[in-house]
């Protein structure tokens, strides 16, 4: 089984993977809800950090917990907890970002029987010089709670090891992303998404090995498909791989992305400058910013544009989870920025399940329009 | 609850004065620059008294302004359509949509003249779906600087509260330097401290006024409170607000002493957790036909007002200004000011965690001697609605009846008035409350 197939398998059997890991390592598993959650610290505690994701099935179990205009991702994630699919979790955590996923955490805390629960008060004024010192103190509280729960001390050595592991993972994934710059990319956007989502679910020691295999395979990998137009996918949380696959079958390749199950999640490494905790804090404060914590367009948009140019995109799919206000604020401004740079955009709004036929038609029309523009 | 008592009633004596003070504040925004005042935009929970250190200023809290526009559908609808035509989504903060709509139209609601051009935006951020993102759009559009204080400590339950107070105080200190830089004015610590002292007193007064509605019959109805609230919301830093709110409080005490009711047929008392649907305030008058009086809403007890909850005793009492509390320092310089404001905010019920808030809702229900809560599933505000079902479950568990309806508090196109009334009538019938025929 190749690396990509293994990523696909983990995605399809994510709950089994985590439970097998528990057995094999006689360890504990901790779920996290937002990409600002410091996975390095969780890993250093000896626990397996896994991102809590939805299942893209129609559900009504959250109707008495979250009101209908909470984003579908947050509702779907909570549904998994309420349905007992994450009952194997020993802990759950979330770093403060957005009110929608906050609702998921609050309800999970009260209604899903996960033994360890810890809320990290992530400073949301990331431009303030006060943010990193606070982050360090918040992490100290998290570490103390984890130590109490696991009975295991989180040493600087363990933190350094976790940093090394995660940084390596980030570097390797960026190397994979470099291959997407090729005129005929040897990897599709859907496969890349599978790789990144798998990194949020797997033990990175294992994920890194698979990435190394993949990097050996990619130089000679030829895909039997029409790579078509080069697109960027940009928006909020996105793990609807079925959708990306469908889209890429219509004559395009997603060559770069900007969302929290893609580049925005892993792009920035922990820079080794001070002590491990301060370095981790600096990483999360200074990372590729999510609109939920930033009140400035520029830091995000500059990076988006740089990536769009470096990966030579011909069009951008701006998508959003329905009712996701943090991203909705940015969308008109993003569209304007893309327009000024001659990059056409298509905006799609996602729900727990999506109208495939309708989306297909809109994407086809968009791709046709792009082709006409390129003639 | 269902007695046929008919109380005497009388208009509020200070009503006219309140109306003038409210309009004066809004008018000042149109003429502030001519008077050499700074015009500053922020959210209603911002401790804007601190701005006094820079000299005279007018502060526009975006939410009450948005609510005023929303309450006037012929103005609100075209404003929201203008906002939507710019590509912004319909499901974002309802207040913001009304605010931005009139800004894009360049029409200031209270005068019909041009929309104010702010000197800068400065605000606390306790809503990731609103405040700084909202001001970000204004800042881009008007080309003005913006800054904000991240102080949403209400969400924190785990960890080091002192660290957060230091973080918030530090941001205040930094923002004073920032304001000096952008306005080229020197910050006068004394003036900032003085205005914040007024601010604390006004918050305590507004809280106390809300508590007076625990009397039967209620001396003031919720609609009148909404009309007078902008004084405590927009002029909290001024002595004139202290004078007015003191007068109002004393008048309410007199009314209680003389058994003067806001609603003569009072026989069923309801309270709320959130703001009302602003375009549909007539719902309160309509329900008076059933003898229903709305005695208060939790949100405005703790937003622009302050009270002290005694959790162990299950009681609520008026708040004391921070410097008078045991263990608090007298403010002498800007460091003290920033620290006091940060700590005061962190300990303010505005910042209560939702688990604590559930206790406060029950305490208020008992204090207001209410019969039921009216809950709004508000499609115009995520933070205030996210936990509403959880709150409802908890209230019901404590034996507190709740009526719930869904709609947008600031978009008249997104509320089904007939449906809401039907729902409420059915609820009241279930509670044994019928329409009083003679009204
Ligand atoms: S940022 Fe958007 S997608 Fe993410 S949790 Fe918030 S509302 Fe949902
Ligand atoms: S809390 Fe609600 S009303 Fe206030 S700014 Fe946020 S979304 Fe708007």
């Amino acid at each position: 089984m190749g690396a990509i197939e293994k990523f696909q398998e983990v995605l399809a059997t994510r709950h089994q993977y985590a439970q097998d890991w528990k057995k094999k390592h006689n360890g504990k598993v901790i779920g996290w809800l937002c990409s600002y959650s410091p996975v390095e610290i969780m890993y250093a505690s000896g626990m397996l950090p896994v991102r809590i994701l939805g299942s893209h099935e129609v559900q009504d179990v959250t109707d008495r917990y979250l009101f209908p205009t909470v984003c579908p991702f947050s509702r779907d994630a909570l549904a998994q907890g309420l349905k007992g699919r994450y009952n194997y979790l020993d802990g759950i955590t979330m770093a403060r970002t957005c009110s929608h996923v906050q609702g998921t955490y609050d309800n999970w805390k009260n209604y899903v029987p996960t033994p360890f629960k810890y809320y990290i008060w992530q400073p949301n004024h990331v431009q303030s010089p006060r943010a990193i010192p606070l982050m360090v103190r918040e992490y100290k509280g998290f570490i103390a709670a984890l130590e109490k729960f696991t009975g295991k001390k989180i040493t600087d050595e363990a933190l350094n090891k976790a940093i090394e592991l995660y940084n390596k993972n980030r570097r390797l994934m960026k190397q994979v992303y470099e291959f997407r710059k090729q005129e005929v990319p040897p990897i599709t956007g859907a496969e890349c998404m599978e790789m990144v989502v798998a990194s949020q679910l797997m033990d990175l020691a294992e994920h890194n090995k698979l990435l190394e295999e993949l990097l050996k395979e990619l130089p000679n990998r030829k895909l039997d498909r029409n790579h078509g137009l080069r697109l960027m996918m940009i928006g909020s949380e996105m793990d609807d791989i079925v959708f990306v696959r469908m889209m890429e079958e219509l004559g395009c390749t997603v060559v770069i992305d900007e969302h929290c199950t893609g580049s925005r999640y892993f792009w920035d490494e922990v820079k080794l400058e001070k002590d491990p905790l301060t370095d981790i804090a600096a990483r999360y404060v200074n990372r590729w910013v999510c609109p939920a914590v930033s009140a400035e367009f520029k830091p995000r948009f500059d990076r988006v544009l740089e990536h769009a140019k470096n990966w030579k995109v011909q069009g951008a799919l701006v998508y959003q989870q329905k009712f996701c206000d943090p991203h909705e604020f940015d969308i008109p401004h993003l569209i304007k920025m893309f327009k000024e740079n001659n990059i056409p955009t298509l905006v799609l709004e996602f729900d727990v399940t999506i109208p495939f036929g309708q989306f297909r038609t809109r994407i086809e029309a968009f791709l046709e329009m792009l082709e006409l523009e390129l003639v | 609850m269902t007695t046929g008592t008919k109380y005497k009633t009388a208009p509020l004596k200070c009503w006219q004065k309140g109306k003038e003070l409210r309009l004066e504040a809004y008018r000042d925004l149109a003429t502030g620059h001519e008077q050499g005042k700074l015009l500053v935009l922020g959210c209603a929970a911002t401790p804007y008294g601190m701005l006094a250190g820079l000299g005279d200023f007018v502060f526009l809290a975006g939410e009450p302004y948005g609510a005023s526009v929303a309450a006037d559908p012929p103005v609100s609808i075209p404003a929201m359509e203008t906002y939507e035509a710019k590509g912004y989504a319909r499901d974002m903060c309802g207040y913001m949509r009304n605010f931005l709509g009139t800004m894009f139209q360049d029409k200031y609601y209270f005068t019909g003249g041009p929309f104010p051009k702010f000197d800068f935006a400065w605000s606390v951020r306790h809503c990731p779906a609103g405040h700084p993102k909202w001001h970000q759009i204004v800042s881009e559009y008007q080309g003005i600087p913006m800054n904000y204080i991240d102080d949403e400590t209400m969400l924190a339950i785990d960890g080091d509260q002192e660290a957060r107070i230091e973080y918030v105080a530090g941001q205040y200190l930094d923002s004073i330097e920032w304001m000096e830089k952008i306005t080229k004015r020197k910050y006068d610590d004394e003036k900032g401290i003085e205005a914040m002292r007024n601010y604390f007193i006004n918050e305590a007064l507004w809280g106390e006024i809300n508590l007076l509605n625990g009397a039967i019959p209620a001396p003031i109805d919720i609609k009148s409170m909404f009309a007078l609230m902008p004084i405590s919301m927009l002029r909290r830093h001024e002595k004139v607000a202290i004078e007015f709110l003191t007068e109002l409080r004393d008048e309410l005490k007199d009314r209680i002493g003389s058994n003067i009711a806001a609603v003569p047929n009072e026989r069923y008392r309801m309270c709320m957790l959130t703001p009302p649907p602003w375009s549909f305030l007539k719902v309160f008058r309509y329900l008076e036909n059933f003898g229903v009086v709305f005695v208060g809403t939790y949100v405005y007890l703790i937003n622009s007002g302050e009270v002290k909850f005694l959790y162990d005793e299950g009681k609520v009492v008026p708040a004391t200004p921070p410097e008078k509390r045991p263990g608090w320092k007298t403010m002498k310089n800007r460091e003290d000011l920033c620290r006091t404001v940060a700590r005061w905010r962190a300990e303010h019920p505005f910042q209560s965690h939702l688990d604590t808030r559930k206790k406060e809702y029950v305490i208020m229900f008992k204090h207001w001697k209410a019969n039921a809560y009216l809950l709004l599933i508000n499609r115009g505000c995520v933070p205030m609605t996210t936990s509403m079902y959880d709150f409802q479950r908890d209230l019901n568990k404590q034996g507190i009846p709740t009526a719930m309806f869904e709609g947008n508090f600031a978009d008249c196109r997104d509320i089904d008035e007939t449906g809401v009334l039907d729902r409420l009538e059915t609820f009241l019938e279930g509670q044994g409350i019928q329409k009083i025929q003679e009204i």
Side-chain angles (χ1 to χ4, degrees), chain A residues 68-273:
Chain A
T69 54
V70 166
C71 87
F73 161 66
S74 300
R75 279 186 281 129
D76 202 3
L78 178 63
Q80 307 311 307
L82 293 171
K83 284 179 175 174
R85 290 186 179 157
Y86 278 101
N87 279 358
Y88 58 86
L89 286 185
D90 300 284
I92 180 172
T93 188
M94 130 147 206
R96 175 180 70 124
T97 45
C98 159
S99 314
H100 296 250
V101 71
Q102 177 77 39
T104 304
Y105 179 80
D106 289 333
N107 280 290
W108 196 296
K109 181 169 77 62
N110 291 340
Y111 302 107
V112 182
T114 308
F116 173 82
K117 291 149 185 166
Y118 195 93
Y119 183 79
I120 301 166
W121 200 75
Q122 161 84 29
N124 280 183
H125 193 170
V126 287
Q127 287 85 12
S128 165
R130 313 279 171 173
I132 295 174
L134 174 72
M135 194 74 271
V136 171
R137 288 171 76 175
E138 292 292 338
Y139 286 167
K140 282 187 177 155
F142 183 43
I143 286 177
L146 282 170
E147 288 179 340
K148 197 167 159 217
F149 179 66
T150 60
K152 187 178 162 234
K153 190 136 185 59
I154 300 178
T155 59
D156 276 5
E157 198 194 337
L159 284 170
N160 281 326
K161 268 199 182 145
I163 292 173
E164 207 181 295
L165 190 75
Y166 274 87
N167 273 355
K168 182 174 176 186
N169 189 257
R170 291 166 182 139
R171 276 195 297 276
L172 293 173
M173 290 207 282
K174 277 192 277 187
Q175 284 174 32
V176 173
Y177 269 50
E178 280 298 307
F179 278 92
R180 304 170 85 182
K181 283 183 177 163
Q182 292 182 3
E183 205 182 315
V184 182
I187 183 163
T188 65
E191 289 168 336
C192 268
M193 188 179 272
E194 284 161 342
M195 168 187 82
V196 182
V197 178
S199 79
Q200 300 180 335
L201 304 171
M202 289 177 75
D203 187 331
L204 283 204
E206 197 183 341
H207 194 262
N208 282 348
K209 277 195 200 129
L210 292 170
L211 287 176
E212 280 163 345
E213 272 174 36
L214 178 63
L215 284 164
K216 275 189 213 142
E217 199 187 310
L218 283 178
N220 303 312
R221 193 168 189 246
K222 298 259 176 309
L223 296 176
D224 182 20
R225 64 184 287 274
N226 165 25
H227 59 86
L229 294 156
R230 305 174 68 81
L231 293 194
M232 179 174 203
M233 267 188 83
I234 172 163
S236 44
E237 195 279 337
M238 161 55 94
D239 60 289
D240 200 332
I241 291 158
V242 181
F243 163 79
V244 183
R245 219 174 274 139
M246 176 275 279
M247 181 167 86
E248 290 188 312
E249 276 163 15
L250 300 176
C252 66
T253 302
V254 176
V255 292
I256 189 69
D257 55 63
E258 196 264 0
H259 52 72
C260 71
T261 23
S263 60
R264 203 162 69 218
Y265 162 68
F266 73 82
W267 207 260
D268 299 289
E269 292 175 32
V270 176
K271 290 189 193 135
L272 305 175
E273 286 169 343

Side-chain angles (χ1 to χ4, degrees), chain A residues 62-70 96-100 102-107 109-111 117-131 134 137-138 141 290-298 320 322-333 336 349, chain B residues 86-89 91-93 96 125 127-130 132-134 136-137 140 146-160 162-164 166-168 170-171 173-174 353-355 358 377-379 381-383 385-390 392-393 396-397 404 406:
Chain A
T62 57
D63 289 1
R64 292 294 298 137
Y65 297 88
L66 292 172
F67 76 111
T69 54
V70 166
R96 175 180 70 124
T97 45
C98 159
S99 314
H100 296 250
Q102 177 77 39
T104 304
Y105 179 80
D106 289 333
N107 280 290
K109 181 169 77 62
N110 291 340
Y111 302 107
K117 291 149 185 166
Y118 195 93
Y119 183 79
I120 301 166
W121 200 75
Q122 161 84 29
N124 280 183
H125 193 170
V126 287
Q127 287 85 12
S128 165
R130 313 279 171 173
L134 174 72
R137 288 171 76 175
E138 292 292 338
C290 166
V293 299
S294 174
E296 280 185 88
F297 294 120
K298 202 171 157 24
Q320 68 140 1
K322 205 169 180 178
F323 310 122
C324 166
D325 26 33
H327 284 82
E328 279 175 339
F329 276 98
D330 281 18
I331 287 176
H333 300 262
K336 187 167 162 257
E349 196 176 65
Chain B
K86 295 256 177 202
Y88 294 105
D91 52 45
M92 301 216 278
C93 168
M96 181 190 74
R125 173 211 195 270
C127 162
K133 302 293 286 180
W134 164 348
Q136 190 180 344
I137 295 173
E140 283 262 319
M146 68 165 280
N147 203 337
Y148 64 98
I149 312 293
D150 171 30
D151 79 335
E152 194 192 20
T153 53
M154 61 184 79
L155 301 174
I157 196 155
D158 305 307
D160 182 354
E162 175 55 29
R164 290 165 202 140
E166 283 174 26
Y167 164 68
V168 175
Q171 291 176 78
L173 265 178
D174 296 343
H353 186 270
L354 56 94
D355 292 343
K358 287 177 184 169
I377 292 290
N378 182 358
R379 288 195 287 255
C381 169
V382 176
T385 314
T386 314
S387 303
M388 200 52 81
Y389 292 133
D390 196 19
Q392 186 189 37
R393 207 176 359 256
N396 292 162
K397 232 194 277 164
M404 188 179 256
E406 188 168 335

Side-chain angles (χ1 to χ4, degrees), chain B residues 98-111:
Chain B
N98 282 282
F99 177 100
L100 292 180
T102 56
M103 179 183 82
F104 292 140
Q105 291 174 315
D106 196 23
K107 261 193 215 151
Y108 180 51
Y109 176 65
F110 290 100
T111 61

